[in-house]
Amino acid sequence: GAVVSQHPSRVICKSGTSVKIECRSLDFQATTMFWYRQFPKQSLMLMATSNEGSKATYEQGVEKDKFLINHASLTLSTLTVTSAHPEDSSFYICSARDQTSWDTEAFFGQGTRLTVV
Amino acid sequence: EDQVTQSPEALRLQEGESSSLNCSYTVSGLRGLFWYRQDPGKGPEFLFTLYSAGEEKEKERLKATLTKKESFLHITAPKPEDSATYLCAALSGNTGKLIFGQGTTLQVKP
């Protein structure tokens, strides 16, 4: 199946600093990528939909100034957590769908465990 | 409101003891029902996509089925390596978003 690579897998940062997470589709082009957040023993919560070449669409309750999303190319989207605080500690996962058929499966990255101290 | 509900929340089986996981959905303009497996600390791994009621798909000890209101993931003679959280997700044709259920955490004991 298609491969989505997410980096880094783990990051620890100090409160007040910013952290960037990368999501790459390795063998297909993704017009749309999705960013999720997952709390322990809970399901995935969609944060935003990232569209190549345009602004991301954020879900209700997600601060767009705190979670900056950039989708500069058909294979790369980035999520930057700005001025991170301990409550931002979570598991962040990206996914991408092949642009040729939007109702096929979305492939997921390995996830990034963010810990803010 | 679009909603996906999975049951049970947790399931413990003995090795070889077959069972089924349920996924009930209420989604406008369903375009597909997806099953994923998620291991601790990892992203979801794709298992199946079902598109229409009556459709079935199999992979090793897993078989997924779909009706107009729910989907089942049948596990036949499970092994300890099948232990994981199984997520189902419905793709809304209206929004283009995947709506996830809460997941079923399966533990298979040897």
Side-chain angles (χ1 to χ4, degrees):
Chain A
V3 179
V4 174
S5 177
Q6 189 173 339
H7 178 81
S9 58
R10 289 178 179 271
V11 58
I12 300 172
C13 71
K14 290 185 177 180
S15 191
T17 62
S18 296
V19 173
K20 181 185 284 189
I21 302 169
E22 291 189 350
C23 179
R24 294 180 184 272
S25 56
L26 297 185
D27 53 0
F28 66 100
Q29 293 186 324
T31 309
T32 305
M33 291 186 176
F34 304 86
W35 287 95
Y36 295 84
R37 184 172 180 175
Q38 187 175 33
F39 292 102
K41 298 190 177 182
Q42 294 189 26
S43 193
L44 282 71
M45 182 187 78
L46 181 64
M47 298 174 65
T49 302
S50 166
N51 298 296
E52 185 265 337
S54 64
K55 290 183 179 180
T57 303
Y58 291 82
E59 295 299 299
Q60 193 172 7
V62 178
E63 298 176 62
K64 61 180 181 181
D65 294 331
K66 179 165 198 56
F67 299 100
L68 299 180
I69 291 171
N70 183 275
H71 193 155
S73 75
L74 286 172
T75 59
L76 174 64
S77 176
T78 61
L79 168 67
T80 301
V81 183
T82 63
S83 186
H85 290 286
E87 56 264 32
D88 298 324
S89 298
S90 190
F91 192 56
Y92 293 88
I93 312 174
C94 71
S95 76
R97 189 177 291 142
D98 191 322
Q99 68 169 1
T100 61
S101 181
W102 71 277
D103 60 352
T104 56
E105 60 271 18
F107 294 95
F108 285 81
Q110 306 94 315
T112 297
R113 171 71 59 194
L114 170 63
T115 303
V116 184
V117 297
Chain B
E1 183 185 345
D2 293 339
Q3 195 170 0
V4 175
T5 304
Q6 289 186 248
S7 62
E9 211 172 286
L11 182 62
R12 287 186 178 182
L13 299 173
Q14 286 296 128
E15 185 172 1
E17 179 186 1
S18 302
S19 188
S20 294
L21 281 55
N22 176 267
C23 171
S24 298
Y25 63 90
T26 307
V27 172
S28 53
L30 180 76
R31 290 298 296 267
L33 191 292
F34 302 86
W35 282 96
Y36 291 89
R37 168 188 171 133
Q38 187 176 27
D39 291 299
K42 305 287 185 183
E45 174 192 342
F46 171 74
L47 294 174
F48 303 107
T49 309
L50 301 166
Y51 291 106
S52 57
E55 190 175 359
E56 297 184 355
K57 288 193 176 174
E58 284 188 70
K59 180 181 178 181
E60 295 180 354
R61 295 176 291 282
L62 301 177
K63 183 169 81 171
T65 61
L66 182 66
T67 72
K68 288 186 177 179
K69 293 183 179 180
E70 54 193 352
S71 178
F72 293 93
L73 184 65
H74 307 277
I75 303 177
T76 302
K79 297 182 178 181
E81 53 261 42
D82 295 323
S83 298
T85 295
Y86 291 85
L87 299 167
C88 81
L91 178 61
S92 167
N94 291 356
T95 65
K97 297 175 185 176
L98 272 177
I99 299 134
F100 279 88
Q102 294 297 99
T104 294
T105 300
L106 172 66
Q107 184 180 23
V108 181
K109 293 189 172 182

